[in-house]
């Protein structure tokens, strides 16, 4: 079997509004509804709607032989419900073709797998329920953790929850001489299959496509086909994993990204021996070649492929630790509004905005952040968290 697996992450965080110190105790509404609505509508127009229509046309054109996979975070689904129901409908139309797979993840696009197994399971269950509600009882078989964060222990937790496979990053420091173009198994629970991103070919589309200083610019369909045909014949699966916002948002329409994607499937069918598969199909049809050992968590972020994009400095560690110190209080409180805010405060983006990397990946972090500096992001978050703690204490007192 020689196949290509396209996976797209679809995610939008609930962004915090500017929250000043003297508002603590008085204002319990943390979310920037204006920005969240505007950004969702902008990305819907530039990416979600045109790209969903293109994928639908490709699936129909090739009679279901072209297939893709999505992971839709709970926060993006909430925003589609609130601000862009036509986008949600377009995803439902895609899934209804039977040639689009949905993955499970944490509802709040959270880093909770690194801190609390209990909250991790709760978040996964909430996401399952959300997917089943919107997609006619659909039950995912494969898991994708936030930002492809994976370790042996995280994989073992995922396996115990009944998933058949998990997606992660084909990080060089983990693979060594091995190729990402095979199926592996978790080293603790070997029944869990692990699919690894081919980061070079994925990032050629996701990050370098419109970069005029790139030595291989412009990326054409013929050039990409040539690279696919150079992949050793024994390699079984090319996992192309990327943000869905690559199409039209990160790489603007003017770069030709939509035309590239429109032409790519037909060229692959005509000029290569590759097919297209969903993660579940890859797992069912390919035999694992061995274990992948990941004792320390990896991710798909930055050159290091580690956790430092979210938990790499004292600001991030302080905010993250303080947030999860509240877990038992939140669950004792049993207040839906408090729990919802706590889930949204877990979203990895809040910690990403606090990143202080200023070298090879600094521009990427600055592009995604609504703050002028990581320190501003930290102060704003901690002001909100201070008010949230007051709410928790008041709720506990009222319950006593």
């Amino acid at each position: 079997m020689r196949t290509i697996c396209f996976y797209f992450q679809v995610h939008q965080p609930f962004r915090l509004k500017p929250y000043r110190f003297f508002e603590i105790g008085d204002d319990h509404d943390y979310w920037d509804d204006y920005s969240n609505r505007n950004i969702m509508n902008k990305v819907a127009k530039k990416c979600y709607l045109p790209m969903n229509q293109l994928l639908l046309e490709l699936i129909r054109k090739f009679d279901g032989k072209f297939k893709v996979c999505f992971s839709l975070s709970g926060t993006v689904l909430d925003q589609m419900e609130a601000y862009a129901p036509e986008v949600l409908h377009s995803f439902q139309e895609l899934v209804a073709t039977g040639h689009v797979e949905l993955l499970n993840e944490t509802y709040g696009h959270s880093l909770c797998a690194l801190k609390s197994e209990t909250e991790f399971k709760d978040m996964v269950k909430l996401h399952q329920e959300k997917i089943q509600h919107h997609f006619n009882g659909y039950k995912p078989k494969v898991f994708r953790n936030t930002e492809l964060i994976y370790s042996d222990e995280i994989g073992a937790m995922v396996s115990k929850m009944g998933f058949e496979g998990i997606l992660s990053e084909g990080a060089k420091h983990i693979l060594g001489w091995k190729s990402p173009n095979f199926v592996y198994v978790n080293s603790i629970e070997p029944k869990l299959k692990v699919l690894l991103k081919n980061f070079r070919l994925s990032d050629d589309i996701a990050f370098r496509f419109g970069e005029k200083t790139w030595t291989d610019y412009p990326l054409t369909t013929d050039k990409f086909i040539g690279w696919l045909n150079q992949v050793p014949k024994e390699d079984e699966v090319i996992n192309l994993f990327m943000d869905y916002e690559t199409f039209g948002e990160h790489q603007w329409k003017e770069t030709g990204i939509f035309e590239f994607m429109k032409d790519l499937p037909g060229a692959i069918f005509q000029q290569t021996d590759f097919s297209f598969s969903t993660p579940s199909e890859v797992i069912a049809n390919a035999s694992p070649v061995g274990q992948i050992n990941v004792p320390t968590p990896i991710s798909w972020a930055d050159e290091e492929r580690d956790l430092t994009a979210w938990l790499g400095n004292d600001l991030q560690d302080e905010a993250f630790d303080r947030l999860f110190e509240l877990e038992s209080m939140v669950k004792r409180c049993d207040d839906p509004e408090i729990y919802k805010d706590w889930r949204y405060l877990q979203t990895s983006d809040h910690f990403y905005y606090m990143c202080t990397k200023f070298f090879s990946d600094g521009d990427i972090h600055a592009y995604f952040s609504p703050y002028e500096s990581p320190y501003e992001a930290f102060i704003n978050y901690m002001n909100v968290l201070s008010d949230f703690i007051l709410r928790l204490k008041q709720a506990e007192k009222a319950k006593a």
Side-chain angles (χ1 to χ4, degrees):
M1 179 187 73
R2 296 258 290 174
T3 197
I4 292 170
C5 180
F6 260 117
Y7 153 74
F8 303 119
Q9 171 183 290
V10 189
H11 168 63
Q12 293 293 331
F14 277 92
R15 297 159 190 85
L16 294 167
K17 68 184 184 183
Y19 194 94
R20 293 165 291 185
F21 176 79
F22 59 79
E23 293 175 296
I24 298 170
D26 292 325
D27 185 0
H28 306 320
D29 180 13
Y30 311 136
W31 310 108
D32 190 342
D33 186 68
Y34 178 80
S35 290
N36 292 326
R37 181 185 298 274
N38 280 0
I39 291 172
M40 169 54 74
N41 287 328
K42 180 190 75 168
V43 179
K45 183 178 180 181
K46 293 177 70 175
C47 170
Y48 300 153
L49 292 173
M51 192 59 184
N52 281 4
Q53 182 60 37
L54 174 57
L55 292 183
L56 188 63
E57 291 170 2
L58 289 171
I59 289 169
R60 290 171 175 168
K61 178 179 179 179
F62 295 107
D63 296 323
K65 293 179 182 178
F66 175 67
K67 304 167 185 181
V68 298
C69 170
F70 291 103
S71 180
L72 299 121
S73 69
T75 57
V76 83
L77 288 170
D78 285 349
Q79 291 192 41
M80 289 177 192
E81 288 177 3
Y83 310 133
E86 71 280 8
V87 175
L88 180 56
H89 176 73
S90 69
F91 278 106
Q92 290 168 333
E93 191 174 12
L94 275 173
V95 174
T97 67
H99 304 293
V100 172
E101 181 168 4
L102 295 179
L103 303 186
N104 226 144
E105 65 160 275
T106 60
Y107 186 96
H109 203 73
S110 167
L111 304 174
C112 55
L114 304 169
K115 201 73 169 177
S116 167
E117 183 172 359
T118 300
E119 177 61 10
F120 183 49
K121 290 178 179 177
D122 289 347
M123 275 275 196
V124 173
K125 183 180 178 183
L126 284 168
H127 190 260
Q128 285 176 334
E129 292 169 352
K130 194 78 171 178
I131 292 295
Q132 289 173 352
H133 172 72
H134 282 304
F135 296 95
N136 197 30
Y138 190 103
K139 188 173 181 181
K141 300 176 182 177
V142 178
F143 190 79
R144 189 230 53 151
N145 197 24
T146 303
E147 307 297 345
L148 295 189
I149 292 172
Y150 174 81
S151 69
D152 297 333
E153 290 190 0
I154 290 172
M157 288 192 291
V158 168
S159 179
K160 289 174 185 175
M161 285 188 271
F163 292 100
E164 298 175 1
I166 189 169
L167 275 55
S168 190
E169 172 70 26
K172 287 187 289 187
H173 68 279
I174 292 296
L175 281 170
W177 57 267
K178 296 177 183 176
S179 167
N181 304 330
F182 293 96
V183 177
Y184 294 89
V185 297
N186 177 266
S187 63
I188 300 174
E189 295 284 348
K191 63 182 178 181
L192 182 80
K193 311 291 174 48
V194 184
L195 304 185
L196 300 175
K197 171 186 165 187
N198 184 309
F199 71 82
R200 187 183 72 81
L201 290 175
S202 299
D203 292 352
D204 285 343
I205 299 173
F207 294 114
R208 292 183 281 273
F209 186 88
E211 181 51 63
K212 293 183 179 180
T213 60
W214 180 34
T215 55
D216 284 306
Y217 179 87
L219 178 57
T220 63
T221 302
D222 286 343
K223 192 177 291 184
F224 199 80
I225 292 296
W227 293 340
L228 289 174
N229 283 328
Q230 290 172 14
V231 173
K233 290 297 181 183
E234 62 270 18
D235 288 15
E236 295 184 329
V237 56
I238 306 295
N239 294 311
L240 300 177
F241 299 167
M242 62 198 74
D243 285 331
Y244 199 39
E245 293 80 12
T246 293
F247 301 94
E249 174 63 12
H250 303 162
Q251 304 292 340
W252 289 7
K253 178 182 178 182
E254 289 76 13
T255 65
I257 190 74
F258 288 102
E259 287 78 9
F260 173 83
M261 194 63 191
K262 180 180 180 181
D263 294 339
L264 187 62
I268 287 172
F269 286 131
Q270 292 173 10
Q271 301 176 44
T272 79
D273 59 353
F274 284 97
S275 64
F276 290 92
S277 299
T278 64
S280 289
E281 290 174 336
V282 174
I283 287 167
N285 296 324
S287 299
V289 296
Q291 295 182 351
I292 187 76
N293 296 297
V294 189
T296 304
I298 59 173
S299 77
W300 68 354
D302 299 344
E303 288 191 351
E304 299 88 351
R305 268 41 180 201
D306 60 12
L307 303 182
T308 52
W310 307 276
L311 299 174
N313 63 44
D314 290 342
L315 305 178
Q316 295 166 313
D317 292 343
E318 170 70 11
F320 189 63
D321 289 343
R322 287 293 302 279
L323 179 68
F324 274 91
E325 286 171 2
L326 306 175
E327 179 179 359
S328 59
M329 288 180 68
V330 169
K331 293 183 175 177
R332 283 198 308 270
C333 188
D334 197 27
D335 182 318
E337 285 302 309
I338 284 177
Y339 193 20
K340 183 183 77 171
D341 283 345
W342 194 59
R343 290 198 306 266
Y344 289 170
L345 286 168
Q346 289 184 47
T347 300
S348 64
D349 304 64
H350 303 306
F351 307 98
Y352 192 84
Y353 303 149
M354 301 175 200
C355 185
T356 51
K357 289 182 177 182
F358 293 113
F359 297 101
S360 58
D361 302 301
D363 289 343
I364 295 173
H365 290 268
Y367 173 83
F368 287 105
S369 179
Y371 299 97
E372 291 187 5
S373 74
Y375 310 101
E376 182 184 316
F378 172 75
I379 290 168
N380 201 64
Y381 186 87
M382 296 306 288
N383 284 344
V384 168
L385 197 59
S386 295
D387 182 82
F388 185 73
I389 291 169
L390 288 178
R391 284 172 63 198
L392 272 177
K393 291 179 178 178
Q394 290 168 0
E396 277 210 326
K397 189 181 292 185
K399 236 184 160 185

